[in-house]
Amino acid sequence: AAFNKPRMMAFDNGAGRLLIVDSLNNSIRALALADTSVTTLATFTSSPNGVAALGAEVIASLGDNSVARIDATGTVTTLAGAANAGGIVDGAAAEARFFRPAGLWVESGRVVVADDGNYAVRALDRTSGAASTLFGVASAGAADGTGAAARFFVPEGLAVDGSTAYVADTNNHTIRRVDLSSGEVTTLAGAAGQ
């Protein structure tokens, strides 16, 4: 299989495969670990930025400012946001707005989204797609704090371990730790601006 700038990956434990953002092919691909076969799950009009497994479904954040769901048959639907309608709006799925959603993480009842152009970490209800802002606001910075008092500068990668999220705060050159229970954000490693 030929890839064109693979960027992000997620492990789909239930299916024994790697999900891959094949960025310049505008595709989400699956690499079966048992036999290394590669299949294209979906192709988009804009490049995907992130990918996560959600049971038999796949979630993808897209360069057109939306978050999509790919079901087991390959049917693509919008989970939240609207194509080419950027902004930062919490609320019902169709009214929610993002600006360059990137890294994704699926956890109990929700999908966590690194909304890198809005300098925020957002959450989507797994069923309805309703969006809310967990941490940060549409203002770049490097402040530790709780909820909206925390500032990020292009958060992209996410990993979650229990009640703790880790955020790759790309333009601050730091790894941030987020207590999902209290909303407290602290800098774990690196130093902003260095």
Side-chain angles (χ1 to χ4, degrees):
F3 294 97
N4 195 351
K5 297 215 183 232
R7 301 181 24 178
M8 300 280 229
M9 296 187 301
F11 188 65
D12 182 354
N13 193 35
R17 62 186 182 173
L18 285 175
L19 302 171
I20 302 163
V21 170
D22 192 358
S23 65
L24 294 186
N25 282 325
N26 293 348
S27 298
I28 299 292
R29 317 270 305 271
L31 169 66
L33 297 177
D35 63 8
T36 69
S37 62
V38 176
T39 56
T40 300
L41 302 179
T43 300
F44 303 95
T45 57
S46 65
S47 177
N49 295 324
V51 64
L54 176 59
E57 299 179 326
V58 174
I59 305 296
S61 57
L62 303 177
D64 70 359
N65 300 322
S66 67
V67 178
R69 181 190 321 255
I70 307 163
D71 73 13
T73 67
T75 301
V76 177
T77 56
T78 300
L79 177 61
N84 303 313
I88 185 165
V89 177
D90 290 340
E95 285 79 39
R97 296 293 178 263
F98 302 89
F99 185 40
R100 290 192 324 256
L104 300 169
W105 190 267
V106 176
E107 61 171 26
S108 60
R110 65 184 178 181
V111 177
V112 181
V113 181
D115 193 358
D116 81 7
N118 282 321
Y119 316 115
V121 176
R122 316 274 300 282
L124 301 177
D125 180 275
R126 287 170 54 165
T127 305
S128 71
S132 61
T133 300
L134 298 175
F135 318 105
V137 293
S139 176
D144 288 343
T146 301
R151 295 288 183 272
F152 297 90
F153 192 14
V154 186
E156 287 191 335
L158 290 171
V160 177
D161 181 25
S163 64
T164 303
Y166 299 92
V167 180
D169 196 358
T170 303
N171 284 3
N172 276 327
H173 312 287
T174 59
I175 304 301
R176 311 289 290 283
R177 178 179 15 220
V178 179
D179 182 312
L180 294 171
S181 300
S182 69
E184 182 183 3
V185 177
T186 56
T187 300
L188 179 65
Q194 297 181 7

